[in-house]
Amino acid sequence: MNHLGGRSVPHVVQQTETADPQTDESSDTPPSPPSAPEDPQEPGRVRRIVTHQRFQIALTVLACVVVFLALVYPNVLKRLTIGGFARIPIEAAIGIGLLLILPGKPRRILAAAGGAVLGWLIIEKSLDMGWFEILNRPFDPVLDWILFDDTYGFIRETYGQASAWAAAVGGVLLAVAVIALSVWAVLRVTSLIGRHRKVSAYTAGGIAAAWLAAFLVGVQVVPKVPIAARSSVTYAYDRARQAKAGIANSAEFSKEIANDPFQNTPGDQLLTGLAGKDVIVTFVESYGRNAVEAPELAPGVDAVLDSGTAQLTRAGFAARSGWLTSPTFGGNSWLAHSTLLSGLWINNQSRYRTLTASDRLTLTSAFKRAQWDTVSVMPGATRAWPEGKFYGYNRVWDSRNLGYQGPKFSWAPMPDQYTLKKFNEVEYGKAGRQPLMVEMPLVSSHTPWAPIPAMLDWDAVGDGSVYKDIVANAPKKADIWGSSTKVRAEYGKSIQYTLTALIEWVQKYGNDDLVLVFLGDHQPSKVVSGENASHDVPITIVAKDPAVLTKISSWGWTDGLKPATNAPVWPMNAFRDRFLTAYGPAGH
């Protein structure tokens, strides 16, 4: 518009059109109207929300929170509280400083790598939580991976195949998600640092100053957890050192295997003090010191032991009891079995594999060398067990050939009373046989301690079908695992059941040549044992021949089935050599 004399006068724009020489000007086809300009497409609702400034700020805040939580994330379940996160991580100041001095591409590479490491530390600390609760020790990043196969088997046997698959897939997806989230969070925080370098430098300095002040003063919100945190760096260093030590330990262990004073002892010089005896070594699952001494467990378990001592005395048997310190806690029973039988401290899967690939003399192979018939009865085994050859068994009875036709009791394929009765039928009760050496783990007291079998008349056990009604009417896992008090109570009942079955079996079927060694493999998990529980387990030797117990009179063990609180405590690996010495030619 042009302004003349205060009046708007429109411009007259004359457009000149040049005719296409190839077009007939007299064409009747009217010219096409000019096309209207296209309106830009409106972004979708989701895109508008995602690209909104407030949403982006929220994402950045979330990323900062994720990084902070990851840096102070604990590896012990009881510290997973609000107070446990009230900490100042020095790693935050160090990380910001490193990212500030690097140019763009190296900064992003470092951020991605750091995020992956941070995510991995979260996973490993979470594994620590589980390991501490079950095994009372942290996860070993070098040696413990094989235990996931055992965990998978436990879930499958206890909860079914579908649950095992779901747990495996869920675990993998969760691990991937944790690492991906950590990488994303660190990259986003890195982008923020790159855009606000000066503010970031002040922030790093402020964190460092606050950390130093808290460190010097020793401020704590949670007892023994200082606000001045350096947990991620320290944790990563400790785990790296643990991995290095584990690898070095494997090499040293081979030398320990070779150092065996009994390796070349002739068979006629082994176990002469037990000639003609049937020796049965029985592990009672999860039978630990707490079962005998904890206030909420001892009344029931001790009553069984005291009553059992009286019953066996009337039947002509005597017993001596002491304590052994198990190499494991809450699980991994095979480590205890191999420790007792080999005389070596087997506290991880690497040592176990190295041992079973060697020619180390075990108690079982010593008996075999001395002309005993060696047998394994393993009601908990559901598949082939190649390690049986290493131990020196002539035969292995397991859940596949013991003829059980009844229901499972959660993890346990069959009740202990059935196992003992069947053992009497297929081995112990046979006439004209050789003296037996038997290893028999009893499993009815295996977690989750529900349902628990009931004691039956021994003649009513049959093929196990009678247990169907017992399982149907007994409390289930879901009935007890909502309460730690109920779990402890059912655990106590399971120990009482197994001890009762074992004592009654000795009383009913034990002959004059029976020597029974029964012991716990490990303490139950922390839900039963609580904090700061020892690794001690009871061990008892029962015999009718007084000469058998006379040979161990120097051990200082307690008379009867229950060891005194102050009875001697040996590491479990000491038992093999002491046993072979006591019952060898030089024994008294």
Side-chain angles (χ1 to χ4, degrees):
M1 305 288 281
N2 195 13
H3 296 269
L4 296 175
R7 222 164 28 99
S8 295
V9 180
H11 278 294
V12 179
V13 180
Q14 185 176 4
Q15 293 185 340
T16 305
E17 295 185 7
T18 306
D20 189 339
Q22 296 181 356
T23 303
D24 185 0
E25 290 186 356
S26 62
S27 171
D28 295 333
T29 304
S32 300
S35 58
E38 296 185 4
D39 292 332
Q41 188 175 358
E42 283 287 321
R45 179 181 180 84
V46 174
R47 185 178 175 186
R48 290 199 306 273
I49 294 174
V50 170
T51 57
H52 195 280
Q53 183 180 8
R54 290 181 180 176
F55 186 83
Q56 293 298 310
I57 291 173
L59 286 180
T60 301
V61 172
L62 175 63
C64 293
V65 171
V66 168
V67 173
F68 168 77
L69 294 178
L71 288 173
V72 297
Y73 188 71
N75 71 328
V76 179
L77 189 60
K78 67 180 181 180
R79 294 180 185 169
L80 203 60
T81 62
I82 294 176
F85 285 94
R87 311 189 71 191
I88 303 171
I90 189 59
E91 298 90 346
I94 296 171
I96 293 172
L98 287 174
L99 293 171
L100 280 172
I101 64 176
L102 290 175
K105 188 173 182 180
R107 183 167 64 239
R108 289 190 295 273
I109 293 173
L110 177 65
V117 170
L118 202 56
W120 171 248
L121 291 180
I122 293 173
I123 293 170
E124 194 163 332
K125 287 178 180 180
S126 298
L127 291 173
D128 277 357
M129 290 183 190
W131 256 243
F132 274 123
E133 290 302 306
I134 303 299
L135 303 178
N136 203 28
R137 65 173 178 83
F139 175 76
D140 190 312
V142 174
L143 304 175
D144 280 346
W145 294 106
I146 187 65
L147 299 184
F148 284 103
D149 179 62
D150 185 61
T151 302
Y152 178 86
F154 170 75
I155 296 173
R156 183 189 61 223
E157 297 299 327
T158 306
Y159 299 99
Q161 185 65 66
S163 297
W165 284 339
V169 173
V172 171
L173 292 178
L174 182 60
V176 171
V178 167
I179 293 176
L181 178 64
S182 298
V183 171
W184 168 82
V186 175
L187 284 172
R188 190 167 186 95
V189 172
T190 300
S191 176
L192 178 69
I193 292 170
R195 295 195 307 271
H196 304 281
R197 301 177 67 85
K198 188 174 181 180
V199 173
S200 299
Y202 286 140
T203 301
I207 293 172
W211 183 90
L212 182 60
F215 177 77
L216 293 175
V217 176
V219 181
Q220 298 179 3
V221 174
V222 176
K224 298 182 181 180
V225 182
I227 285 182
R230 48 183 175 175
S231 54
S232 292
V233 170
T234 304
Y235 182 86
Y237 173 76
D238 287 345
R239 288 300 170 267
R241 187 176 59 178
Q242 180 186 14
K244 182 180 178 181
I247 295 170
N249 183 267
S250 297
E252 288 297 320
F253 182 59
S254 298
K255 298 177 182 177
E256 293 182 42
I257 292 175
N259 183 19
D260 185 356
F262 294 96
Q263 183 66 40
N264 299 316
T265 304
D268 61 0
Q269 298 296 306
L270 287 169
L271 300 158
T272 53
L274 293 172
K277 304 298 183 186
D278 296 310
V279 181
I280 302 174
V281 178
T282 298
F283 289 90
V284 177
E285 173 66 37
S286 300
Y287 178 39
R289 184 185 278 267
N290 277 47
V292 179
E293 294 184 349
E296 67 270 36
L297 300 171
V301 173
D302 289 356
V304 173
L305 293 174
D306 293 340
S307 172
T309 298
Q311 293 173 42
L312 294 181
T313 299
R314 288 193 296 270
F317 290 91
R320 300 288 185 276
S321 299
W323 302 102
L324 298 179
T325 300
S326 174
T328 185
F329 186 102
N332 300 346
S333 303
W334 61 93
L335 301 181
H337 301 177
S338 57
T339 293
L340 184 96
L341 297 176
S342 72
L344 294 170
W345 191 252
I346 312 300
N347 62 341
N348 60 56
Q349 192 66 15
S350 175
R351 282 186 161 229
Y352 179 78
R353 285 179 164 180
T354 303
L355 171 68
T356 55
S358 74
D359 61 353
R360 174 81 176 188
L361 184 76
T362 64
L363 271 182
T364 312
S365 54
F367 274 99
K368 185 174 183 178
R369 186 183 293 180
Q371 302 305 308
W372 266 263
D373 185 13
T374 52
V375 178
S376 173
V377 181
M378 301 188 67
T382 57
R383 53 189 176 184
W385 186 52
E387 293 94 330
K389 185 176 181 180
F390 158 74
Y391 285 109
Y393 297 118
N394 292 328
R395 290 178 302 288
V396 175
W397 296 92
D398 60 26
S399 63
R400 300 171 301 170
N401 58 8
L402 281 170
Y404 182 65
Q405 300 299 313
K408 289 179 61 178
F409 283 77
S410 191
W411 183 89
M414 63 192 70
D416 290 340
Q417 187 181 10
Y418 176 88
T419 300
L420 290 163
K421 178 69 183 297
K422 196 67 178 179
F423 164 65
N424 195 69
E425 294 173 4
V426 299
E427 293 287 355
Y428 187 75
K430 286 187 174 181
R433 55 171 176 74
Q434 287 178 253
L436 290 170
M437 188 280 170
V438 180
E439 186 209 358
M440 186 190 320
L442 296 176
V443 297
S444 288
S445 50
H446 194 290
T447 182
W449 306 303
I452 300 170
M455 284 298 298
L456 305 173
D457 184 282
W458 287 88
D459 295 329
V461 171
D463 65 359
S465 301
V466 67
Y467 289 103
K468 292 178 181 178
D469 289 341
I470 295 175
V471 167
N473 297 318
K476 305 300 187 292
K477 297 183 292 292
D479 298 330
I480 72 167
W481 274 89
S483 165
S484 59
T485 301
K486 290 182 179 179
V487 172
R488 292 188 190 98
E490 295 304 302
Y491 160 77
K493 292 177 184 177
S494 73
I495 294 294
Q496 294 171 44
Y497 165 78
T498 296
L499 293 176
T500 300
L502 195 57
I503 292 165
E504 286 192 12
W505 182 87
V506 173
Q507 187 179 17
K508 183 176 180 64
Y509 298 106
N511 60 30
D512 292 351
D513 292 321
L514 175 66
V515 177
L516 172 67
V517 182
F518 74 90
L519 69 153
D521 48 9
H522 52 72
Q523 288 262 51
S525 59
K526 285 173 66 176
V527 68
V528 172
S529 296
E531 298 289 340
N532 304 315
S534 73
H535 281 223
D536 295 348
V537 298
I539 181 169
T540 299
I541 297 181
V542 179
K544 183 169 280 191
D545 184 352
V548 172
L549 298 182
T550 298
K551 289 183 178 294
I552 63 168
S553 58
S554 63
W555 289 4
W557 285 14
T558 308
D559 289 344
L561 300 181
K562 184 178 71 173
T565 299
N566 61 350
V569 181
W570 304 340
M572 191 175 283
N573 59 310
F575 181 80
R576 188 205 72 157
D577 288 7
R578 289 177 181 262
F579 189 86
L580 291 175
T581 300
Y583 293 107
H588 300 292

